[in-house]
Amino acid sequence: MKTIRQWQLRAEFARRLSEMYGREVPAYTTLVDVSREVNAEVLERSGPDAERLGSIARVTAERHGAIRVGTPAELHQVARIFGALGMHPVGFYDLREAASSAVPVVSTAFRPIDAGELARNPFRVFTSMLTTSDPRFFDADLRRQLENCLSERQLFPPELIALAQRAESDRELSEQDAERFLRLAVGAFELSGEPVDKAWYETLEKVSAVAADIGGVRSTHVNHLTPRVLDIDELYRKMTDRGIAMIDAIQGPPRREGPALLLRQTSFRALAEPRRQRLDDGSIVTGALRVRFGEVEARGIALTKAGRARYDLCLDRADPSLWEKTFPDTERGLIDQGLGFFTYHPQDIGSGRPPSSLPELLDNGWVRAEPIVYEDFLPRSAAGIFQSNLSGTGTRDNSRESARYDQDWLAGAIGREIHDPFALYEREQNASIAELDKVLGLGGALR
Ligand code: OOG
Ligand code: NI
């Protein structure tokens, strides 16, 4: 019997979700087309350098999605579905603190965690959960109504959860089950045609547009999907030329010479989508909601904690020239200053005794370093993306004590370990160094 493996499920899920979102939000299809066009130009212009941070096949298929759920129980189910696809929770993001507008959520990202799986398909989903118990946003009354409302809905059919459980434990599904699983999984993130209760939606919207998007409806949906592009400045120009309104800026470092760092992102503005609404008298009208959009990103090298501290410092200052002063303009510079993660590979250069330090091995051509691409998100950038697409700033009562939601709390809620992104990159780097040490017979000198 033919079976479909986890990575194939993941690749197919990403492909179908992208196709569905393109039907729902046609400007997203334009974004994907323009990204492809730009990637082809960069490949033409830069040759093999263009593929330094991932093969063109990987980059072309690469997407991240963003979804938002209402309760720990819903998040638990989401984790199951992504678990079926070989995607694990990585990182904890508290956007309540990162955003100046009211963004009452905490988040993690589900993604593959080992290099082989990432190379097959790196699909990742930024997943946020509403912090209903935070009194800065929801008073006791509103919280009760909201939690009632959320407890009555079912986002994922039991059959989907059962199939997900099987796919996760067997790491594959039969062809027939895979088809059923994919249909149900993609369907669960489709925009529902069910009318939105207008008064309830607006009550939540006064607190936060994100709260309304999550708790004001009885289902969930993709908030945005994001292709990867190799030249985001060029993409921004091309989209603008096509008359598509982009947000004001590209989030992240300015364009610079030298290796790309972490992440740069931008998006087109959320479009008014027709949505059916139920009025107080029970009648149904067609209104419009403006919450969904398309985002695009350029990915760079994963930075160490030291690199990240410098990155955050540069982002804090508005001075673009600071980046040049702070970061070396070569990969080797990043290595020497311990700012970036790399894997190290032996080069075939014949006989003789290799030196026993990494810098000398690099200098003498014994070893080649490959940058590790950043697979995660950035709180500042995420907050910027949330914020630039909200219609109002919402309200937050800062005189109240915040509710505690931290990484341990989130891990408990989903019943899974939340991986530390830095530890994952370090593990990959160290594994390559240990292997190198063995191959060159250095007896542990490199470790
Ligand atoms: C998620 C925003 C974060 C990113 O790329 O940083 C995000 C959301 O709007 O739900 O997707
Ligand atoms: Ni995003």
Side-chain angles (χ1 to χ4, degrees):
M1 190 179 57
K2 192 164 182 246
T3 59
I4 309 292
R5 293 159 63 196
Q6 259 181 339
W7 76 266
Q8 295 169 308
L9 286 174
R10 178 170 71 251
E12 185 59 15
F13 176 75
R15 199 187 63 72
R16 291 191 193 189
L17 200 69
S18 182
E19 207 176 81
M20 176 186 89
Y21 198 58
R23 279 195 303 274
E24 293 183 341
V25 180
Y28 164 76
T29 303
T30 308
L31 185 65
V32 170
D33 290 345
V34 176
S35 302
R36 206 166 278 160
E37 197 179 299
V38 170
N39 291 346
E41 284 168 14
V42 174
L43 201 61
E44 175 85 33
R45 184 170 80 215
S46 316
D49 274 359
E51 295 185 275
R52 187 91 185 119
L53 290 164
S55 71
I56 191 70
R58 173 189 149 145
V59 170
T60 305
E62 187 161 346
R63 298 283 182 280
H64 87 244
I67 61 164
R68 306 159 170 185
V69 296
T71 64
E74 289 176 356
L75 191 63
H76 195 272
Q77 296 189 315
V78 166
R80 252 281 116 96
I81 294 167
F82 292 139
L85 302 171
M87 296 156 69
H88 310 274
V90 180
F92 174 77
Y93 304 83
D94 192 341
L95 295 173
R96 296 176 301 165
E97 310 308 329
S100 57
S101 310
V103 180
V105 298
V106 289
S107 317
T108 186
F110 291 90
R111 67 167 178 86
I113 55 175
D114 56 63
E117 287 294 310
L118 285 161
R120 285 181 168 133
N121 185 289
F123 187 53
R124 47 179 99 73
V125 178
F126 192 90
T127 305
S128 302
M129 189 205 75
L130 197 59
T131 54
T132 55
S133 72
D134 192 327
R136 291 175 303 172
F137 305 100
F138 309 102
D139 64 27
D141 216 39
L142 187 57
R143 174 182 176 185
R144 198 168 328 109
Q145 274 185 69
L146 183 54
E147 288 179 351
N148 266 339
C149 200
L150 292 168
S151 71
E152 280 165 12
R153 71 183 192 182
Q154 187 187 56
L155 300 184
F156 308 106
E159 188 190 353
L160 172 60
I161 300 300
L163 284 167
Q165 214 156 347
R166 180 126 51 84
E168 184 167 17
S169 58
D170 297 353
R171 316 192 80 185
E172 61 182 20
L173 285 176
S174 72
E175 205 169 14
Q176 202 180 357
D177 286 345
E179 182 56 35
R180 185 77 190 141
F181 169 80
L182 286 166
R183 252 179 225 215
L184 291 171
V186 173
F189 296 104
E190 195 169 358
L191 193 66
S192 158
E194 196 188 327
V196 175
D197 183 323
K198 189 162 189 280
W200 173 235
Y201 196 94
E202 286 171 356
T203 301
L204 289 174
E205 218 174 13
K206 280 194 203 98
V207 172
S208 154
V210 178
D213 183 44
I214 300 171
V217 293
R218 298 185 46 76
S219 57
T220 190
H221 43 254
V222 174
N223 170 264
H224 64 262
L225 268 184
T226 307
R228 184 169 158 195
V229 73
L230 298 172
D231 183 344
I232 198 168
D233 302 275
E234 181 61 15
L235 177 123
Y236 190 97
R237 274 192 294 277
K238 283 196 168 176
M239 290 294 284
T240 308
D241 287 349
R242 289 197 185 203
I244 294 180
M246 303 296 282
I247 61 170
D248 294 337
I250 296 171
Q251 312 277 340
R255 185 184 188 85
R256 61 187 283 274
E257 292 303 315
L261 308 173
L262 298 179
L263 196 57
R264 298 177 73 208
Q265 300 181 310
T266 191
S267 79
F268 62 75
R269 285 197 184 282
L271 302 168
E273 289 182 280
R275 299 271 282 267
R276 300 206 303 148
Q277 298 174 327
R278 186 183 303 104
L279 308 184
D280 282 345
D281 64 6
S283 60
I284 308 282
V285 298
T286 299
L289 291 179
R290 199 178 271 276
V291 282
R292 307 203 309 157
F293 55 91
E295 179 193 38
V296 61
E297 65 193 7
R299 289 193 169 262
I301 297 178
L303 297 183
T304 61
K305 284 198 169 146
R308 174 63 179 273
R310 288 198 194 178
Y311 184 95
D312 286 342
L313 203 80
C314 287
L315 269 192
D316 273 340
R317 315 277 171 82
D319 173 10
S321 76
L322 197 59
W323 293 91
E324 303 307 327
K325 291 179 223 144
T326 306
F327 283 98
D329 56 7
T330 60
E331 289 181 4
R332 183 60 196 269
L334 291 173
I335 293 173
D336 290 344
Q337 296 184 41
L339 302 176
F341 287 112
F342 291 79
T343 54
Y344 298 91
H345 309 268
Q347 294 276 72
D348 195 15
I349 61 152
S351 55
R353 252 177 85 84
S356 58
S357 81
L358 216 39
E360 288 172 287
L361 286 164
L362 287 166
D363 285 343
N364 299 322
W366 282 84
V367 166
R368 143 183 80 80
E370 298 283 352
I372 299 180
V373 68
Y374 189 59
E375 304 286 352
D376 293 287
F377 296 85
L378 295 168
R380 205 82 65 85
S381 194
I385 293 291
F386 260 108
Q387 233 151 250
S388 50
N389 275 294
L390 299 181
S391 31
T393 52
T395 46
R396 158 162 62 184
D397 180 355
N398 281 326
S399 70
R400 290 165 185 263
E401 189 74 25
S402 75
R404 187 177 149 263
Y405 290 95
D406 57 17
Q407 178 162 327
D408 288 342
W409 183 91
L410 202 72
I414 45 185
R416 289 163 196 252
E417 176 196 355
I418 294 181
H419 298 271
D420 170 22
F422 291 103
L424 294 177
Y425 299 119
E426 192 158 3
R427 187 178 75 184
E428 196 187 337
Q429 176 171 284
N430 287 347
S432 81
I433 294 174
E435 175 65 20
L436 187 65
D437 195 287
K438 201 164 86 193
V439 171
L440 296 180
L442 293 174
L446 296 182
R447 275 174 292 162

